[in-house]
Each structure stands twice: as structure tokens, then as C-alpha cells.
Amino acid sequence: MFVLNCTKKLAKRLPFEFIEDPAQSSNKLGSWSANSFNIGRFPMILFTNDRTLMSVVIPFKEASTFHNRFLESLEVLLHSIALSSREIGPELAEMTTVQLTTRINRSILGSMNDFVFHARATLYHRPNLTLEELSFQLSGIPCSPLKYGFPREAALSLFAPPPSRELRFRTN
């Protein structure tokens, strides 16, 4: 289960029930935030992970299918940043259940506004870029909340095995 924090702008367009006080996300990536925006005359949804700032862009087609389309695009993005199917499968399985809320972090919203700016500029200069390629491009932008680290590196660190705590003694 994961929590999706939607902006009020997006929430108005979704025909779902929103929860005032959601449970905590049980997946490794944690909760996500989402906002709608337009590229030209085409409406889009930007999903940004609250922990890593990794972002996924999908078209705003049928509201009833946005969750499945988000998971499909996320799977493509996770493969593109070099995660294995063994790591991605359990994460996506945890994300099949979603709780929607309108409680969004202002810092995340600021980062999302930056990503929208970058997405528009990138598509202006490279109009044939797919949305999967755009999501990959966004994951390579250094972000201030990550101390100018990259979202894809932050995501990879969540899936990295914990460091070995084996004690080693020196013998002389």
C-alpha cells in the first residue's frame, strides 16, 4: 500500500474518495505526490516520490486508469535506472493498493514545479521524446532537497543491500 498526495487541482479532476488521515506507505519508496499540468494542449500528471524526488509523467487520459498507467510507467523507469526485476516486482506488488489524500508537502510541490518547468523545456527542444524518456531525464536533475544529488541515485540507495556489519580483527 502507498499513499498518493494529490494537489487540490488534481483532486478536483479525479472521481475517487480522498482520505483525510491515511496510513503510512508500506513500500520502500514510500509515498508519492501528484499534480496535473499541461504540455501545450495535452493534460499530463506528474508523480513525484516524496523520498527520492524521482518523477513519472503520464498523460491524463481516463481518470479511472491512471493508477495502472502510473505503475506501468514506474516499472519502465525503475528498469531504466538499473534495478532488477527481482527488486521491482515486490515494490510494484506493494503499490497495487493506493490511498489518496490531498495533504501535500510544500517542499515536494516546489520540486514538482521545477520538474514541470524542466519537462516543458525538454519537450520544447526534443519534441519526439517519449514520456518514459522524459521521466528518465527528470531523474537525472540535481535537486536541492537531496543536497544536489540525483533522484535516480536516491532511489537506487533505497534498494541497495544494507552494508555488512561483519567485524574484522587485525592480526599482526
Side-chain angles (χ1 to χ4, degrees):
M1 190 281 303
F2 79 105
V3 175
L4 181 60
N5 304 300
C6 299
T7 60
K8 291 185 186 203
K9 175 181 165 184
L10 176 61
K12 286 182 200 175
R13 299 180 70 185
L14 296 176
F16 302 114
E17 182 181 333
F18 288 82
I19 298 171
E20 187 67 34
D21 210 13
Q24 280 202 315
S25 297
S26 60
N27 58 329
K28 284 186 180 185
L29 289 170
S31 61
W32 288 74
S33 296
N35 193 10
S36 61
F37 71 102
N38 288 341
I39 295 180
R41 60 186 173 98
F42 300 103
M44 302 285 172
I45 302 175
L46 173 71
F47 296 87
T48 300
N49 183 257
D50 292 355
R51 286 184 181 167
T52 66
L53 299 181
M54 194 167 58
S55 295
V56 173
V57 178
I58 65 168
F60 195 121
K61 292 180 183 174
E62 297 176 33
S64 62
T65 64
F66 88 97
H67 179 234
N68 290 333
R69 290 183 294 115
F70 163 63
L71 292 180
E72 290 168 3
S73 294
L74 177 60
E75 181 177 11
V76 171
L77 179 59
L78 292 175
H79 277 293
S80 72
I81 66 167
L83 284 175
S84 70
S85 295
R86 190 182 82 240
E87 296 165 314
I88 296 171
E91 182 69 11
L92 294 178
E94 282 288 324
M95 295 177 72
T96 56
T97 304
V98 61
Q99 288 187 346
L100 299 170
T101 184
T102 56
R103 297 169 54 180
I104 194 160
N105 181 316
R106 291 174 57 110
S107 174
I108 301 298
L109 187 57
S111 295
M112 292 175 76
N113 289 334
D114 287 344
F115 288 135
V116 167
F117 174 79
H118 283 287
R120 287 181 176 144
T122 300
L123 289 174
Y124 177 79
H125 292 290
R126 297 180 61 196
N128 295 330
L129 202 65
T130 66
L131 292 180
E132 288 83 7
E133 292 169 328
L134 176 62
S135 296
F136 182 76
Q137 293 288 325
L138 294 176
S139 73
I141 295 173
C143 298
S144 175
L146 300 174
K147 297 184 176 146
Y148 295 100
F150 301 103
R152 64 178 147 220
E153 290 175 359
L156 287 170
S157 70
L158 289 177
F159 289 91
S164 175
R165 298 193 182 237
E166 183 179 311
L167 295 175
R168 295 180 188 210
F169 296 99
R170 285 179 137 177
T171 56
N172 291 342

